Amino acid sequence: MNNSSPPNRASTVFIHSLIFMLPFLALISSFGVGLCSFAFLLAAIVYQRPARAALRVHLPAVRPVLMAFALALLLAVLHLCFSDGVLLRDMEKPTRMLAAATVMLTVLALRPQRRALWWGLIAGTIAGAIFIAYQRWGLGVDRPGGLINSITFGDIVLCMGLLCLAGMQDFPGRAAIWPGLGALAGLFGSIASGTRGGWVAIVFALIVLLRYSHVLRGRLRKGLALLALALMVSAFFIPQTGARVRVDQGINDVEQYLSGGETYTNVGIRFELWRSAVQLIRQHPLLGLNPVSERSELEALVAAGRVHPYVLEFPHYHNDILQALVFGGVAGLLVWGATLVVPMLFFIRMLNCAEASRNGAYAPALAGLLLVLSYFAFGLTEVIFWSVRSCMFYALMLFLLIGLCLNTQTPPASGEKA
């Protein structure tokens, strides 16, 4: 039971503004994610008493998620202490991702309404799509990426668009058109960025939406969700999008690689990096390699003619699973996997809860599941957790959605809206 008093007007405006700004600023500013992260940290300190009281109630449900991110930080500390080439700055991502739990604490303390998040996602995807479209067709940039690289931009804007689909549950009647527009903008932004690998997330999203189709109640919501996914497919046949060219190019790259032809292509480079990673993993399967040893052994593979020399030009292996295995072995893979699998199980439990329909847990739980699966899909062809911004977007959104789910498990305080 929640014994805290309802937040005052200033607190209400603050938390709703902050939740809105997180997705809205993620793609169109270089400071948005970091600023929101810092603001949530300060808010958790200011509202620590009601946050602690709420956390005590929900700790059994969220403890596995917190432990998963704590283990990731612990592994990073061990690497810093006992591995060569690991620098103090390598601690930034796991530390800030665990600290993102302050978002959950703030949400538990102030109990905001979910509409702020959905409107932030809608505005953020539309703004991101306009920004990337201007770069692509206004400035003539072939692979635009906003203020980040094209792959990360395309992945995040697509992820935000898919989360908009989950938000339809909280929009009655024809108002569901708004999150539908957000979903379409996310898909459009992904196409404009020229990203291909991230489209695997659409397959996962389709499976999830079919499995939980009852969540999108009403023909309008289901129709908009299907329309958004259908337009993504139809984009393949529209020459101006360049989607078909990118797909055809990818097929040609695969054929060239397998036939022993040119390998220095977008797909060929990935295949060669993956082949290099597999050879390193076979030699050090349990604990992996430190950065110094990894570079030394990769150079040895090149000198022996077992891989192409250009693999030395790239900072990572374009696959999150292989990246975790190379630098952490089986232990590293398990720890990395826990930051995806454990939250995924949390959201599945929320979706399958008998009271999910009555207490309104469907929308944030579905969004959380789509977030986790999207990041897993992105990591199949890219190290999506490579940049700090991408890591922080995942962690902040994850704990925000967890907090919103947990708030549905306790009744609102007297005088507070549900």
Side-chain angles (χ1 to χ4, degrees):
M1 183 174 180
N2 185 7
N3 296 318
S4 61
S5 59
N8 57 42
R9 182 174 178 81
S11 299
T12 301
V13 172
F14 166 76
I15 186 60
H16 286 100
S17 299
L18 186 54
I19 290 176
F20 174 88
M21 296 303 283
L22 172 58
F24 177 67
L25 294 176
L27 295 173
I28 61 173
S29 72
S30 58
F31 60 85
V33 172
L35 177 64
C36 291
S37 173
F38 183 67
F40 274 115
L41 175 61
L42 292 181
I45 296 173
V46 172
Y47 299 103
Q48 58 179 298
R49 292 184 62 184
R52 285 203 307 267
L55 182 61
R56 280 194 292 268
V57 175
H58 298 293
L59 187 57
V62 79
R63 183 185 287 116
V65 180
L66 294 173
M67 289 181 62
F69 283 89
L71 282 174
L73 177 57
L74 176 61
L75 183 63
V77 172
L78 292 176
H79 282 165
L80 178 66
C81 294
F82 301 107
S83 296
D84 294 332
V86 179
L87 304 176
L88 188 60
R89 66 168 178 263
D90 296 324
M91 298 291 297
E92 180 182 6
K93 286 187 288 188
T95 301
R96 294 183 64 180
M97 290 179 75
L98 179 59
T102 54
V103 179
M104 177 187 67
L105 296 177
T106 306
V107 169
L108 290 175
L110 299 181
R111 300 180 63 90
Q113 297 182 47
R114 298 192 294 265
R115 283 289 191 93
L117 173 60
W118 307 137
W119 282 115
L121 285 167
I122 294 167
T125 52
I126 293 174
I130 293 173
F131 186 17
I132 205 74
Y134 170 70
Q135 286 189 321
R136 175 73 181 272
W137 291 286
L139 300 179
V141 181
D142 182 51
R143 292 291 307 278
L147 301 175
I148 47 182
N149 69 75
S150 59
I151 297 177
T152 303
F153 187 100
D155 287 346
I156 293 179
V157 74
L158 176 60
C159 179
M160 289 171 58
L162 294 176
L163 298 189
C164 286
L165 292 177
M168 286 184 180
Q169 176 72 13
D170 286 342
F171 285 75
R174 294 184 177 180
I177 291 176
W178 289 108
L181 289 175
L184 293 176
L187 298 174
F188 174 81
S190 175
I191 294 171
S193 71
T195 303
R196 294 170 300 191
W199 296 349
V200 178
I202 298 175
V203 178
F204 285 98
L206 183 59
I207 295 172
V208 169
L209 292 175
L210 290 174
R211 168 62 180 84
Y212 296 101
S213 59
H214 59 283
V215 174
L216 298 176
R217 293 176 295 183
R219 293 182 180 179
L220 178 62
R221 293 184 182 85
K222 293 180 180 179
L224 286 172
L226 292 175
L227 175 63
L229 295 175
L231 285 177
M232 184 64 183
V233 176
S234 66
F236 177 81
F237 301 99
I238 302 174
Q240 287 77 8
T241 65
R244 183 166 186 170
V245 173
R246 294 285 295 161
V247 172
D248 289 342
Q249 183 186 48
I251 295 173
N252 184 60
D253 290 351
V254 173
E255 291 175 346
Q256 284 191 92
Y257 187 87
L258 295 179
S259 64
E262 176 62 45
T263 64
Y264 197 78
T265 62
N266 288 329
V267 176
I269 289 171
R270 281 176 168 79
F271 283 171
E272 197 65 13
L273 286 169
W274 296 346
R275 192 164 70 91
S276 304
V278 169
Q279 294 183 63
L280 295 177
I281 293 166
R282 286 175 178 171
Q283 297 173 17
H284 306 275
L286 296 180
L287 299 177
L289 293 161
N290 62 55
V292 174
S293 298
E294 178 268 343
R295 187 54 39 173
S296 175
E297 296 204 15
L298 189 59
E299 290 173 350
L301 289 178
V302 171
R306 296 169 62 183
V307 295
H308 285 277
Y310 59 69
V311 298
L312 297 172
E313 301 172 13
F314 297 89
H316 57 68
Y317 289 94
H318 278 276
N319 181 284
D320 270 321
I321 296 174
L322 296 178
Q323 186 81 6
L325 282 169
V326 168
F327 290 99
V330 174
L333 178 65
L334 292 175
V335 170
W336 167 82
T339 61
L340 291 166
V341 174
V342 175
M344 180 183 71
L345 295 176
F346 171 88
F347 292 121
I348 289 176
R349 284 195 298 270
M350 285 290 172
L351 283 168
N352 294 334
C353 177
E355 297 182 349
S357 177
R358 180 183 60 81
N359 62 25
Y362 274 150
L366 181 60
L369 183 56
L370 290 173
L371 172 71
V372 174
L373 289 177
S374 293
Y375 261 70
F376 173 76
F378 300 152
L380 295 177
T381 56
E382 172 68 0
V383 179
I384 189 62
F385 288 102
W386 180 257
S387 72
V388 174
R389 183 185 303 195
S390 182
C391 288
M392 288 307 300
F393 181 81
Y394 173 75
L396 292 170
M397 290 298 298
L398 180 76
F399 281 110
L400 172 56
L401 291 166
I402 287 176
L404 293 174
C405 286
L406 294 176
N407 278 346
T408 66
Q409 306 300 299
T410 54
S414 176
E416 178 189 342
K417 293 182 180 181

